[in-house]
Amino acid sequence: MIEIFQYDFMVRALIAALLVGLAAPAVGTFIVQRRLALLGDGIGHVALTGVALGFLTGTAPVLTAVLVSVLGAVAIELVRARGRTTGDVALALLFYGGIAGGVMLIGLAPGGSNATLTSYLFGSISSVTTEDVWVIAVLAAFVLGVVAAFGRELFVLCQDEEVAKVNGLPVRFLSLLVAVTAALTVVIAMRVVGLLLVSALMVVPVATSQQVTRGFRTTMALAMVLGVVSTVGGLTSAFYASVAPGAAIVLLALAGFVVALGAGRLLRRSRAREAAP
């Protein structure tokens, strides 16, 4: 186990995985509560356009992915809030537009090809640089700071938007805040699990936690623990088994869900028996 720390790229990868494991489920808890589990997938496809734009303009793909993802998330929230189309249709527009834009722009980039996007689609943890780690750290700190500062307001919003309005909360601002933090989380995670799998890391640990917990804060806390276990454990397993890290991380998270599903059923049966006269 100790030999994994002898490689600089693995140390950087583990730091990135730890940060992603904390940030993704934290934001994912609010997304799942709002029944927008596929939002991460939609933003991930838009981020692909941002990555391709970075190659086309010769700038850092991570930075252009942040810009395009945030703009896409804000646009989709405004469309959803104004009721011009339903949430699932709006997400579908993100899916199709993001993929098409990414493929087109990478084709226009000098020396670009669809193969160039592979590391961003499926993750390339071994190629994470020191600069990538700093960017991920800053974005993760911002995401976790938003969760800590606005957690109570976001909880009310996710429970019932009408109740949030009655209580005088800035619903539009909070909704946009959820969308923006989700976009930043997608960019944080894309180097670790890839844009095609990032939504799983935002949703699966939360769904797993919900099987065995009741309170919102407890669910979030356990989801973050499970996120770290999935990312760090999956990355370590991938290192020794020589498999794709992104896939190993998501499969480990799914295995945890299966275990929690069984444990949750046993727990509910036990409580039912105790409550029975």
Side-chain angles (χ1 to χ4, degrees), residues 1 17 20 30 55 82 103 142 184 187 194 196 209 216 233 240 276:
M1 180 64 181
V20 170
F30 297 106
F55 284 108
R82 292 179 180 178
V103 172
F142 176 81
L184 295 179
V187 176
L196 293 183
S209 181
F216 186 83
Y240 289 105

Side-chain angles (χ1 to χ4, degrees), residues 21 25 201 204-206 208-209 212 221-231 253 256 260:
L201 201 55
V204 176
V206 179
T208 303
S209 181
V212 295
L222 180 57
M224 293 172 71
V225 172
L226 293 172
V228 171
V229 171
S230 298
T231 52

